[in-house]
Amino acid sequence: MALAPAVVDAVEAVGGYAGGVYLRSRTKGLLRLAVLAGLPVRLFRPWWRMHVNRPFPVAEAFRSGEPVHLADAEEAMRRFPQLMAGLPFPFGSLYVPVSHGTDRYGVLVVLRTATPGRPVDPADRQRLRTTADRLGAALAELERAGTPVSWERAPAPVQLPAGATPPVRVGRLTWQTDTGAVTADAEASRILGSPPDDPPTTIGDLEELLAAEDVYGLWALAHRITERTDPDRPAARRMWLGGRDGRPHLLELARRPGGDPARLTGLLVDPGTGPIVAAAADRLATGVLSLDRVGRITYASRSAETLLGVARPALVGRILWDVLPWTGRPAYEDQFRAALIASDPVHFLAHRDSASWLSVSLHPDHDGLTVTLSAAEEPTYAPASVAAPGGGLGSPADRAAVLYRPVALAIALTEAVTARQVSEVVTEELLPAFGGRQLAIYLLSERHLHLAWETGFPQGFLDRFDGVGLDARLPGVECLTSGRPIFFESMQRLAAAYPGIPLDAHVGARAFLPLIASGRPVGSCILGFDRPRGFSPEERTVLTALAGLIAQALHRARAFDTEAALARGLQNALLPHRLPRLRHVDTVGRYLPGTQGMEVGGDWYDVVETSRGVALVIGDVQGHGVSAAATMGQVRSAVRAFALAGHDPQEVMSGTNRLLIDLDPGQFASCCYCVLDPRTGAVQAVRAGHLPPLLRRPDGGTEVVDLPGGVVLGVDAEAAYPVTELRLPPGAVLALFTDGLVEQPGTDIDLGVERLRGVLAGAPADTTLPGLADRVVEEALRAHDRPDDVALLLAARTGRTEERRSSDGGLGT
């Protein structure tokens, strides 16, 4: 596979210690981490997915098509603060888009040691660019061979080659103990320090190449093999010999069963990596683990298995977090991330269970981690005048967990785009981190605080505080007007500070946090606890910082909500609320907004009576928001204008295409346009980058219409749009739809089309056209996570001459 070699080449080309490659997925706008080399895949789960519109360097490199080079943490913090909120460690990183021609496949990423004050070397930039270009060419070749370039699975872990070390060498020799004759091959001679053309031929020659203590050991080894073992059974023993350069060499002597008992064969191994320390580590009371950079345990000392309560055979070769699940707690995972990325030693306290505490140290290098473990006493601390229940929060062991929360919260908040989503993220991340049970968020509007979110409080208790003015003497108001958080270790202290304030039945602590974004007041956040507790200095600092993150997210979300409301109103005004009354033809339209991000898309449908027949139109403008809705209105108006002017379908598409290029060269739209003669059923159809319609025949048989098409609108002013002719018999149904109806994350769109075909084909023969539309919509509603809007237009010939009225558009169905 091309991905793993490319990542390894990239890491080695620029002196990195880890790397990966993101590839596009079948979900529009989503990149997935396909390969991760030099780091444990599990520890970086929050970065497995990356939307191309997020403020991260991977997304920017993909969007812009230009490399992003970050020499150190300071530059990364300045340009991409969200990246450093999630990975607050000193490191350098390089991001290069992987493309070939006009096709962009993903982004190649390398992490390396930070170089403060020094920009990324031009030679490194060029080497990484060359590697990315080679990968892009390989992926293009795969695509030409029929293999789609997309990634839908978890990242594939890759072990990087070890750093440069002396090579492993193996030599062979024989020793006839009764005559003293020795034979050694050239490699054995080189390991022993003898010229290959002058190997030792006697035991005396061999002894001259060894230290005195090794000579005695050698004879003792031979004696045990030849004199103390059954000659009819195989026997082998090993010993370490000191080499002339000080490094140890392993000698294994063996005797074959049933052979000459005086003849020994030997293997002499120079491991090439320096002294073997297993025996030394086993003598220590401190436990020692060795991990490679993907998290596999490669060595465990005797003390380690005692301290961990797991036998060495069950440890070695396993992923650390699989065999020792307690190491996968978020706070401890963050310590391992820090060691692997920052390449500096990390020390922390951890507990396997309530009765077992360990002092843990992580020592990283290019090839992995050495973990040292020693027993520790349960820590004691005094967080404030009121002890934290259970001795958890504020303790040295769990301060890391508290400090980890800005990481998790920052990452989660980047995905939240509405005020409700922000509030849900705060509930899921903030309360568990501090052991809280209650949360309330108030937002400022026209100098009054209005309750926007609550959880855990008695029903109706907070209603009395909804809409209070900024002149009220309440802690939630005063923390915002003063800009300072207010902490109460118990409800008694809150009541003493604010006499007469209504209190609920809880007796625990309270934290009132101001929500201020870029100097602008946004609102207040209240955290409630079931029991009295103190707030350590670290916790107060972290809670204040988290309040700033929440405020920024809410400020952004309110702006988004305002734009979304504007876009939704614009779209509702542009979509037809009622389709025209037609002779011989029934039509039904349906529209469903997407559920991801609650953004407004550019989907539309239309039915237009023209001099050539009934025009059935469906389309989808690229993007979301006000811009997409506005462009949709322009494209819909253009199609209607060309259709009403009597142009044929090819001219309608060509004219709309040129108009869109003139109006906005950066916008694209797909469209399917059909003109139906109600009396004969003749249909002329054309499509521009849109999915072809489905045709349900009177007998229920349903098929995809073979409809050749041109490129999407807005790309090529000279594009041609061929016209296809077909016939719609009485009782048949023509179904036009947008990709939101058949596209689901992680599945091929052809499967979605086939699923829709099955829904149409499976409808009973007596199903009305509105009933058929409802049946299709009900199927779409089963997908709780729809990344895109859905538009559906059904048309059927009635075969009757009386005037009929079609169903309304069903907006919001």
Side-chain angles (χ1 to χ4, degrees), residues 496-520:
Y498 291 87
I501 188 173
L503 302 176
D504 61 10
H506 291 80
V507 297
R510 289 286 186 274
F512 297 85
L513 308 174
L515 301 180
I516 300 174
S518 302
R520 296 182 178 181

PDB file of all heavy atoms in Angstrom, residues 496-520:
ATOM      1  N   ALA A 496     -25.006  33.589  53.355  1.00  0.00           N
ATOM      2  CA  ALA A 496     -24.445  34.658  54.182  1.00  0.00           C
ATOM      3  C   ALA A 496     -24.021  35.845  53.320  1.00  0.00           C
ATOM      4  O   ALA A 496     -24.147  37.003  53.730  1.00  0.00           O
ATOM      5  CB  ALA A 496     -23.252  34.116  54.970  1.00  0.00           C
ATOM      6  N   ALA A 497     -23.514  35.583  52.124  1.00  0.00           N
ATOM      7  CA  ALA A 497     -23.061  36.670  51.249  1.00  0.00           C
ATOM      8  C   ALA A 497     -24.224  37.387  50.582  1.00  0.00           C
ATOM      9  O   ALA A 497     -24.138  38.580  50.273  1.00  0.00           O
ATOM     10  CB  ALA A 497     -22.105  36.116  50.192  1.00  0.00           C
ATOM     11  N   TYR A 498     -25.330  36.665  50.343  1.00  0.00           N
ATOM     12  CA  TYR A 498     -26.493  37.254  49.673  1.00  0.00           C
ATOM     13  C   TYR A 498     -27.739  36.928  50.497  1.00  0.00           C
ATOM     14  O   TYR A 498     -28.507  36.011  50.170  1.00  0.00           O
ATOM     15  CB  TYR A 498     -26.638  36.697  48.243  1.00  0.00           C
ATOM     16  CG  TYR A 498     -25.545  37.149  47.310  1.00  0.00           C
ATOM     17  CD1 TYR A 498     -24.352  36.441  47.221  1.00  0.00           C
ATOM     18  CD2 TYR A 498     -25.695  38.294  46.534  1.00  0.00           C
ATOM     19  CE1 TYR A 498     -23.339  36.853  46.382  1.00  0.00           C
ATOM     20  CE2 TYR A 498     -24.689  38.716  45.682  1.00  0.00           C
ATOM     21  CZ  TYR A 498     -23.510  37.991  45.618  1.00  0.00           C
ATOM     22  OH  TYR A 498     -22.505  38.413  44.774  1.00  0.00           O
ATOM     23  N   PRO A 499     -27.955  37.665  51.588  1.00  0.00           N
ATOM     24  CA  PRO A 499     -29.112  37.381  52.462  1.00  0.00           C
ATOM     25  C   PRO A 499     -30.419  37.483  51.673  1.00  0.00           C
ATOM     26  O   PRO A 499     -30.616  38.395  50.865  1.00  0.00           O
ATOM     27  CB  PRO A 499     -29.021  38.476  53.529  1.00  0.00           C
ATOM     28  CG  PRO A 499     -27.594  38.923  53.507  1.00  0.00           C
ATOM     29  CD  PRO A 499     -27.150  38.797  52.084  1.00  0.00           C
ATOM     30  N   GLY A 500     -31.288  36.527  51.912  1.00  0.00           N
ATOM     31  CA  GLY A 500     -32.594  36.535  51.267  1.00  0.00           C
ATOM     32  C   GLY A 500     -32.641  35.907  49.896  1.00  0.00           C
ATOM     33  O   GLY A 500     -33.719  35.806  49.304  1.00  0.00           O
ATOM     34  N   ILE A 501     -31.503  35.453  49.363  1.00  0.00           N
ATOM     35  CA  ILE A 501     -31.518  34.859  48.035  1.00  0.00           C
ATOM     36  C   ILE A 501     -32.230  33.512  48.092  1.00  0.00           C
ATOM     37  O   ILE A 501     -32.030  32.733  49.036  1.00  0.00           O
ATOM     38  CB  ILE A 501     -30.074  34.675  47.493  1.00  0.00           C
ATOM     39  CG1 ILE A 501     -30.119  34.235  46.020  1.00  0.00           C
ATOM     40  CG2 ILE A 501     -29.288  33.686  48.325  1.00  0.00           C
ATOM     41  CD1 ILE A 501     -28.749  34.187  45.372  1.00  0.00           C
ATOM     42  N   PRO A 502     -33.120  33.199  47.162  1.00  0.00           N
ATOM     43  CA  PRO A 502     -33.802  31.889  47.183  1.00  0.00           C
ATOM     44  C   PRO A 502     -32.788  30.760  47.000  1.00  0.00           C
ATOM     45  O   PRO A 502     -31.881  30.850  46.168  1.00  0.00           O
ATOM     46  CB  PRO A 502     -34.762  31.963  45.987  1.00  0.00           C
ATOM     47  CG  PRO A 502     -34.937  33.431  45.728  1.00  0.00           C
ATOM     48  CD  PRO A 502     -33.631  34.071  46.083  1.00  0.00           C
ATOM     49  N   LEU A 503     -32.925  29.711  47.788  1.00  0.00           N
ATOM     50  CA  LEU A 503     -32.024  28.564  47.725  1.00  0.00           C
ATOM     51  C   LEU A 503     -32.830  27.314  47.432  1.00  0.00           C
ATOM     52  O   LEU A 503     -33.974  27.172  47.880  1.00  0.00           O
ATOM     53  CB  LEU A 503     -31.264  28.388  49.046  1.00  0.00           C
ATOM     54  CG  LEU A 503     -30.414  29.581  49.510  1.00  0.00           C
ATOM     55  CD1 LEU A 503     -29.809  29.286  50.878  1.00  0.00           C
ATOM     56  CD2 LEU A 503     -29.313  29.885  48.497  1.00  0.00           C
ATOM     57  N   ASP A 504     -32.228  26.367  46.692  1.00  0.00           N
ATOM     58  CA  ASP A 504     -32.892  25.092  46.472  1.00  0.00           C
ATOM     59  C   ASP A 504     -32.522  24.136  47.598  1.00  0.00           C
ATOM     60  O   ASP A 504     -31.846  24.505  48.561  1.00  0.00           O
ATOM     61  CB  ASP A 504     -32.534  24.514  45.102  1.00  0.00           C
ATOM     62  CG  ASP A 504     -31.041  24.257  44.949  1.00  0.00           C
ATOM     63  OD1 ASP A 504     -30.332  24.344  45.954  1.00  0.00           O
ATOM     64  OD2 ASP A 504     -30.593  23.978  43.827  1.00  0.00           O
ATOM     65  N   ALA A 505     -32.924  22.884  47.470  1.00  0.00           N
ATOM     66  CA  ALA A 505     -32.738  21.929  48.553  1.00  0.00           C
ATOM     67  C   ALA A 505     -31.297  21.450  48.677  1.00  0.00           C
ATOM     68  O   ALA A 505     -30.933  20.832  49.680  1.00  0.00           O
ATOM     69  CB  ALA A 505     -33.663  20.723  48.344  1.00  0.00           C
ATOM     70  N   HIS A 506     -30.482  21.702  47.666  1.00  0.00           N
ATOM     71  CA  HIS A 506     -29.105  21.230  47.723  1.00  0.00           C
ATOM     72  C   HIS A 506     -28.294  22.051  48.717  1.00  0.00           C
ATOM     73  O   HIS A 506     -28.556  23.243  48.924  1.00  0.00           O
ATOM     74  CB  HIS A 506     -28.457  21.307  46.336  1.00  0.00           C
ATOM     75  CG  HIS A 506     -29.032  20.329  45.355  1.00  0.00           C
ATOM     76  ND1 HIS A 506     -30.217  20.566  44.692  1.00  0.00           N
ATOM     77  CD2 HIS A 506     -28.586  19.121  44.941  1.00  0.00           C
ATOM     78  CE1 HIS A 506     -30.477  19.533  43.897  1.00  0.00           C
ATOM     79  NE2 HIS A 506     -29.505  18.653  44.032  1.00  0.00           N
ATOM     80  N   VAL A 507     -27.322  21.405  49.332  1.00  0.00           N
ATOM     81  CA  VAL A 507     -26.504  22.096  50.334  1.00  0.00           C
ATOM     82  C   VAL A 507     -25.064  22.234  49.874  1.00  0.00           C
ATOM     83  O   VAL A 507     -24.190  22.607  50.634  1.00  0.00           O
ATOM     84  CB  VAL A 507     -26.532  21.324  51.681  1.00  0.00           C
ATOM     85  CG1 VAL A 507     -27.930  21.299  52.237  1.00  0.00           C
ATOM     86  CG2 VAL A 507     -26.000  19.903  51.501  1.00  0.00           C
ATOM     87  N   GLY A 508     -24.801  21.909  48.624  1.00  0.00           N
ATOM     88  CA  GLY A 508     -23.434  21.871  48.133  1.00  0.00           C
ATOM     89  C   GLY A 508     -22.875  23.216  47.733  1.00  0.00           C
ATOM     90  O   GLY A 508     -23.443  24.277  48.002  1.00  0.00           O
ATOM     91  N   ALA A 509     -21.730  23.164  47.056  1.00  0.00           N
ATOM     92  CA  ALA A 509     -21.008  24.366  46.654  1.00  0.00           C
ATOM     93  C   ALA A 509     -21.592  24.938  45.358  1.00  0.00           C
ATOM     94  O   ALA A 509     -22.371  24.289  44.657  1.00  0.00           O
ATOM     95  CB  ALA A 509     -19.528  24.029  46.466  1.00  0.00           C
ATOM     96  N   ARG A 510     -21.193  26.178  45.064  1.00  0.00           N
ATOM     97  CA  ARG A 510     -21.618  26.854  43.841  1.00  0.00           C
ATOM     98  C   ARG A 510     -20.431  27.611  43.248  1.00  0.00           C
ATOM     99  O   ARG A 510     -19.611  28.188  43.978  1.00  0.00           O
ATOM    100  CB  ARG A 510     -22.754  27.850  44.100  1.00  0.00           C
ATOM    101  CG  ARG A 510     -24.102  27.248  44.417  1.00  0.00           C
ATOM    102  CD  ARG A 510     -24.758  26.655  43.171  1.00  0.00           C
ATOM    103  NE  ARG A 510     -26.106  26.203  43.468  1.00  0.00           N
ATOM    104  CZ  ARG A 510     -26.419  25.021  43.962  1.00  0.00           C
ATOM    105  NH1 ARG A 510     -25.456  24.158  44.247  1.00  0.00           N
ATOM    106  NH2 ARG A 510     -27.673  24.676  44.177  1.00  0.00           N
ATOM    107  N   ALA A 511     -20.366  27.618  41.912  1.00  0.00           N
ATOM    108  CA  ALA A 511     -19.382  28.426  41.191  1.00  0.00           C
ATOM    109  C   ALA A 511     -20.135  29.251  40.154  1.00  0.00           C
ATOM    110  O   ALA A 511     -20.908  28.704  39.360  1.00  0.00           O
ATOM    111  CB  ALA A 511     -18.333  27.540  40.522  1.00  0.00           C
ATOM    112  N   PHE A 512     -19.931  30.574  40.192  1.00  0.00           N
ATOM    113  CA  PHE A 512     -20.569  31.491  39.246  1.00  0.00           C
ATOM    114  C   PHE A 512     -19.473  32.038  38.325  1.00  0.00           C
ATOM    115  O   PHE A 512     -18.539  32.707  38.797  1.00  0.00           O
ATOM    116  CB  PHE A 512     -21.282  32.623  39.977  1.00  0.00           C
ATOM    117  CG  PHE A 512     -22.414  32.156  40.844  1.00  0.00           C
ATOM    118  CD1 PHE A 512     -22.185  31.709  42.144  1.00  0.00           C
ATOM    119  CD2 PHE A 512     -23.715  32.148  40.363  1.00  0.00           C
ATOM    120  CE1 PHE A 512     -23.222  31.275  42.940  1.00  0.00           C
ATOM    121  CE2 PHE A 512     -24.770  31.710  41.164  1.00  0.00           C
ATOM    122  CZ  PHE A 512     -24.527  31.270  42.449  1.00  0.00           C
ATOM    123  N   LEU A 513     -19.581  31.742  37.037  1.00  0.00           N
ATOM    124  CA  LEU A 513     -18.515  32.066  36.089  1.00  0.00           C
ATOM    125  C   LEU A 513     -19.003  33.093  35.075  1.00  0.00           C
ATOM    126  O   LEU A 513     -20.068  32.904  34.454  1.00  0.00           O
ATOM    127  CB  LEU A 513     -18.054  30.814  35.345  1.00  0.00           C
ATOM    128  CG  LEU A 513     -17.680  29.608  36.216  1.00  0.00           C
ATOM    129  CD1 LEU A 513     -17.383  28.399  35.334  1.00  0.00           C
ATOM    130  CD2 LEU A 513     -16.493  29.942  37.102  1.00  0.00           C
ATOM    131  N   PRO A 514     -18.263  34.182  34.864  1.00  0.00           N
ATOM    132  CA  PRO A 514     -18.648  35.148  33.828  1.00  0.00           C
ATOM    133  C   PRO A 514     -18.301  34.621  32.445  1.00  0.00           C
ATOM    134  O   PRO A 514     -17.224  34.055  32.236  1.00  0.00           O
ATOM    135  CB  PRO A 514     -17.808  36.375  34.179  1.00  0.00           C
ATOM    136  CG  PRO A 514     -16.582  35.810  34.836  1.00  0.00           C
ATOM    137  CD  PRO A 514     -17.034  34.580  35.575  1.00  0.00           C
ATOM    138  N   LEU A 515     -19.199  34.793  31.515  1.00  0.00           N
ATOM    139  CA  LEU A 515     -18.956  34.398  30.124  1.00  0.00           C
ATOM    140  C   LEU A 515     -18.665  35.668  29.332  1.00  0.00           C
ATOM    141  O   LEU A 515     -19.575  36.442  29.005  1.00  0.00           O
ATOM    142  CB  LEU A 515     -20.177  33.661  29.566  1.00  0.00           C
ATOM    143  CG  LEU A 515     -20.590  32.391  30.330  1.00  0.00           C
ATOM    144  CD1 LEU A 515     -21.814  31.761  29.675  1.00  0.00           C
ATOM    145  CD2 LEU A 515     -19.442  31.395  30.402  1.00  0.00           C
ATOM    146  N   ILE A 516     -17.399  35.882  29.045  1.00  0.00           N
ATOM    147  CA  ILE A 516     -16.948  37.100  28.362  1.00  0.00           C
ATOM    148  C   ILE A 516     -16.091  36.684  27.179  1.00  0.00           C
ATOM    149  O   ILE A 516     -15.119  35.943  27.338  1.00  0.00           O
ATOM    150  CB  ILE A 516     -16.160  38.015  29.315  1.00  0.00           C
ATOM    151  CG1 ILE A 516     -17.049  38.432  30.490  1.00  0.00           C
ATOM    152  CG2 ILE A 516     -15.641  39.239  28.571  1.00  0.00           C
ATOM    153  CD1 ILE A 516     -16.315  39.223  31.557  1.00  0.00           C
ATOM    154  N   ALA A 517     -16.435  37.148  25.979  1.00  0.00           N
ATOM    155  CA  ALA A 517     -15.713  36.802  24.755  1.00  0.00           C
ATOM    156  C   ALA A 517     -15.126  38.061  24.148  1.00  0.00           C
ATOM    157  O   ALA A 517     -15.867  38.986  23.784  1.00  0.00           O
ATOM    158  CB  ALA A 517     -16.641  36.114  23.759  1.00  0.00           C
ATOM    159  N   SER A 518     -13.804  38.117  24.057  1.00  0.00           N
ATOM    160  CA  SER A 518     -13.102  39.273  23.466  1.00  0.00           C
ATOM    161  C   SER A 518     -13.543  40.584  24.092  1.00  0.00           C
ATOM    162  O   SER A 518     -13.749  41.591  23.405  1.00  0.00           O
ATOM    163  CB  SER A 518     -13.329  39.299  21.944  1.00  0.00           C
ATOM    164  OG  SER A 518     -12.891  38.110  21.347  1.00  0.00           O
ATOM    165  N   GLY A 519     -13.706  40.564  25.413  1.00  0.00           N
ATOM    166  CA  GLY A 519     -14.091  41.765  26.134  1.00  0.00           C
ATOM    167  C   GLY A 519     -15.574  42.063  26.126  1.00  0.00           C
ATOM    168  O   GLY A 519     -16.017  43.017  26.786  1.00  0.00           O
ATOM    169  N   ARG A 520     -16.366  41.268  25.416  1.00  0.00           N
ATOM    170  CA  ARG A 520     -17.801  41.507  25.337  1.00  0.00           C
ATOM    171  C   ARG A 520     -18.543  40.527  26.245  1.00  0.00           C
ATOM    172  O   ARG A 520     -18.335  39.322  26.167  1.00  0.00           O
ATOM    173  CB  ARG A 520     -18.297  41.335  23.897  1.00  0.00           C
ATOM    174  CG  ARG A 520     -17.707  42.345  22.932  1.00  0.00           C
ATOM    175  CD  ARG A 520     -18.287  42.138  21.549  1.00  0.00           C
ATOM    176  NE  ARG A 520     -17.772  43.118  20.605  1.00  0.00           N
ATOM    177  CZ  ARG A 520     -18.127  43.175  19.313  1.00  0.00           C
ATOM    178  NH1 ARG A 520     -19.002  42.303  18.843  1.00  0.00           N
ATOM    179  NH2 ARG A 520     -17.608  44.093  18.525  1.00  0.00           N
TER     180      ARG A 520
END
